[in-house]
Amino acid sequence: MKITRPGSRARTARPRGRRTALVLAGSALLACALSCSGGHDAPHPARRAPGSGAGATGAAPSPGARGIGDPLLPLDGNGGYTVRRYDLAFDWRAPGTPFAAGATITATATQALSRFDLDFAGNTLHTVSVDGRTARAERDGDELVVTPARPVPDGAAFTVRVTYTADPAQRRHRRDAIGEYGWVPTPDGTVLYPQPDGAKMIFPADDHPSLRAPFTFRITTPADRQAVANGRLVERAPQPGGRVRWTYDSEEPIAAQLVQLAIGRFTFADGTGPHGLPVRDVVPEDLVADTAEHRALTPEHLAWLEQRLGPYPFRRYGVLVADTDLPVALETQSLSVVPRDSLLGDRVHAERDLVHELAHQWTGDSVALRRWSDLWLSEGHARFYERLYSDAHGGVSLEDAMRDAYEQHDQWRHDDGAPAEPTEPSLFRNIRYDGSALVLYALREEVGEETFERIERTWVARYRGRAAGTADFVALASGVAGRDLGPFLTPWLYGPHTPPMPGHPDWRVDPVEDDGD
């Protein structure tokens, strides 16, 4: 995620913010979603949720954990099972109007389950079933507690089906770079900003960045609207009443925070990237011409990042132009969201957004976060490559940007924690952006460019399609460099004060100003 057009010098200021009921009976879309989910690609091999080991053979059924225990967002994700596939159905009608929705979740129990939770906030719940039998469901804050008619044995596959009325007005607010998140309206439809844990406002989920599963999306729209979601368009099929059903397959497992589903009057602009990679931009009809110049740079950006990080990790890519006032770009997997104002501005600022979100496809999407305190690895890498590219393409030099960040680093640490020690309210603050890019810059200065580039390529290759954390990065960097980098990186990542910058003895950190909060 990136806030567009950040200032070059923002002292202690926070980054700018980011980013009735319907009758379900008779909905052909919902009927399909709740009866057809077994007829698609084989589920991805199960991923066991961290901290939720399988129960002992013959153990009595017990409740799955309410969350996976992430220290910052302890109720994110759920224990006792692993999701193997989501099949989501949305019968969208008009902007801002509630509509029929359904979710079919195929999972595998990692313990004998008497009950389990789903992350699910708001929305009007209608029915819940487990393996075709009506289940008891209770709302407990943002948790949906499901008690099946029969316990689920350890190791058993099971299917949960939820019908509800989706509320596209659901949004929440954070006091950091995220700002508004959840459903975000556009003039003729909607776009999703689910980061960090807003997916639960859109569909029932196992919502933690380390947990991923493949998705099938079935979106029914009026004939004058188009729908897009992560991955490949499988089918565009006419429906009764002149409506259209769009079916997408994610092709790869996705973390819930990286799901995209947008509806509007779109033009699909097809192109080709390096090695024949399909590139499809999704653009509001009246913005196609005005955004074409900057969007056309994507193949160049792909080639530039592949030189530094290795092969692009997914089967396709594209930019979704968001016709919203939110000044926030977002790395939804294989289809990055970039706000219209960024693409209508000058090339330097547009490319910073475009390269930042594209870099996330390697670091943050393909290599997922093990826990939320590892966010510096995602945002720091994306900001580093954004700055590195901009240096060579008319923007501020990398050294100048990093020196500016260095001067402010103690203040950022004081206000919002060290790069790898965020608090929940300070997750998406400057210390996780330029402040974390500075850690990577310091590492490059310490080990040299050649070794640094080998660390980076090895990192994204070794953990492709997996979750990894700070300890993994330090260990890998040490192995590639041939020496223990823990003593060097630990104070950069966790210390209360900014260490000296290798190779720049003249750099100084500004004194901390305590505002008394």
Side-chain angles (χ1 to χ4, degrees):
M1 187 277 291
K2 178 181 181 292
I3 356 170
T4 66
R5 304 193 181 193
S8 63
R9 176 99 171 156
R11 304 302 303 173
T12 61
R14 307 296 190 258
R16 290 185 294 151
R18 97 179 185 123
R19 359 178 254 256
T20 235
L22 301 179
V23 178
L24 294 177
S27 168
L29 170 74
L30 198 56
C32 176
L34 299 185
S35 62
C36 305
S37 65
H40 309 293
D41 297 342
H44 194 276
R47 286 171 169 75
R48 198 173 292 275
S52 58
T57 303
S62 59
R66 290 167 52 83
I68 67 170
D70 190 301
L72 295 188
L73 292 163
L75 294 183
D76 279 11
N78 302 284
Y81 64 90
T82 300
V83 174
R84 297 172 65 92
R85 177 172 284 275
Y86 294 91
D87 194 320
L88 306 181
F90 297 94
D91 195 12
W92 189 88
R93 296 285 166 168
T97 303
F99 57 89
T104 299
I105 302 170
T106 305
T108 300
T110 57
Q111 66 178 69
L113 286 168
S114 60
R115 69 171 188 262
F116 56 89
D117 284 19
L118 292 166
D119 301 310
F120 194 46
N123 299 297
T124 301
L125 181 67
H126 293 289
T127 66
V128 180
S129 67
V130 177
D131 290 336
R133 293 174 175 264
T134 300
R136 188 167 77 248
E138 301 174 79
R139 310 302 288 262
D140 184 4
D142 289 346
E143 300 291 306
L144 178 62
V145 183
V146 178
T147 303
R150 295 176 179 174
V152 180
D154 181 15
F158 64 102
T159 300
V160 186
R161 292 171 177 167
V162 181
T163 66
Y164 60 102
T165 298
D167 178 5
Q170 277 207 107
R171 287 184 298 283
R172 292 184 179 178
H173 182 80
R174 290 180 57 88
R175 296 182 64 185
D176 57 16
I178 295 290
E180 299 291 323
Y181 67 108
W183 295 93
V184 174
T186 62
D188 52 18
T190 189
V191 65
L192 299 187
Y193 281 85
Q195 195 179 62
D197 59 351
K200 62 193 174 190
M201 292 183 274
I202 299 152
F203 60 94
D206 193 15
D207 187 5
H208 186 270
S210 67
L211 305 177
R212 298 187 278 196
F215 280 74
T216 299
F217 305 89
R218 308 173 198 278
I219 310 136
T220 300
T221 67
D224 66 345
R225 300 293 197 279
Q226 289 74 43
V228 66
N230 312 79
R232 177 175 64 94
L233 177 62
V234 175
E235 182 183 49
R236 179 183 180 277
Q239 300 296 296
R243 292 169 63 74
V244 178
R245 185 177 69 221
W246 307 75
T247 302
Y248 286 85
D249 178 74
S250 70
E251 302 182 302
E252 302 281 350
I254 307 179
Q257 67 150 343
L258 301 175
V259 164
Q260 185 52 254
L261 183 156
I263 297 160
R265 292 187 176 94
F266 293 135
T267 293
F268 296 92
D270 291 315
T272 305
H275 323 296
L277 180 77
V279 175
R280 167 174 285 187
D281 293 340
V282 182
V283 192
E285 291 175 347
D286 59 352
L287 293 173
V288 174
D290 290 342
T291 62
E293 180 181 358
H294 296 334
R295 290 189 292 103
L297 299 169
T298 292
E300 177 184 330
H301 300 159
L302 281 159
W304 186 88
L305 281 164
E306 283 194 335
Q307 290 175 357
R308 288 151 182 83
L309 295 173
Y312 174 73
F314 301 115
R315 301 183 195 181
R316 64 197 67 245
Y317 186 65
V319 170
L320 169 62
V321 180
D323 193 4
T324 78
D325 293 328
L326 293 182
V328 175
L330 182 64
E331 67 272 19
T332 45
Q333 187 167 304
S334 77
L335 184 67
S336 293
V337 181
V338 179
R340 62 166 189 262
D341 288 349
S342 176
L343 295 170
L344 296 175
D346 67 85
R347 175 168 174 163
V348 169
H349 285 103
E351 288 197 283
R352 286 188 58 187
D353 272 2
L354 290 164
V355 171
H356 183 106
E357 304 313 329
L358 179 55
H360 268 306
Q361 305 299 316
W362 281 265
T363 62
D365 291 14
S366 177
V367 182
L369 306 178
R370 189 176 299 281
R371 60 182 188 174
W372 276 115
S373 59
D374 301 316
L375 183 65
W376 79 272
L377 281 165
S378 176
E379 296 298 348
H381 272 99
R383 181 55 61 85
F384 178 84
Y385 287 104
E386 165 202 336
R387 290 288 193 186
L388 185 63
Y389 182 92
S390 190
D391 179 345
H393 293 82
V396 175
S397 75
L398 178 65
E399 182 171 325
D400 285 350
M402 294 297 94
R403 182 169 186 160
D404 188 63
Y406 188 84
E407 291 172 356
Q408 300 179 76
H409 221 253
D410 267 11
Q411 186 71 57
W412 291 342
R413 287 171 186 262
H414 171 271
D415 293 346
D416 300 316
E421 284 191 320
T423 61
E424 189 276 334
S426 71
L427 260 176
F428 294 88
R429 295 267 172 84
N430 263 342
I431 190 71
R432 247 62 66 190
Y433 292 87
D434 277 311
S436 296
L438 186 70
V439 177
L440 297 172
Y441 180 81
L443 176 62
R444 192 179 75 157
E445 295 296 286
E446 174 72 10
V447 301
E449 288 191 27
E450 182 179 349
T451 299
F452 178 78
E453 289 173 1
R454 286 193 292 114
I455 289 169
E456 295 290 275
R457 292 175 68 90
T458 304
W459 172 249
V460 298
R462 181 171 300 176
Y463 288 102
R464 177 172 176 163
R466 300 163 59 192
T470 302
D472 300 310
F473 184 80
V474 174
L476 180 142
S478 299
V480 172
R483 61 186 175 96
D484 183 7
L485 289 169
F488 174 78
L489 285 170
T490 296
W492 276 99
L493 292 168
Y494 298 103
H497 300 291
T498 307
M501 176 60 70
H504 298 278
D506 58 319
W507 285 18
R508 297 288 182 268
V509 181
D510 288 347
V512 171
E513 298 176 6
D514 194 335
D515 60 11
D517 289 345

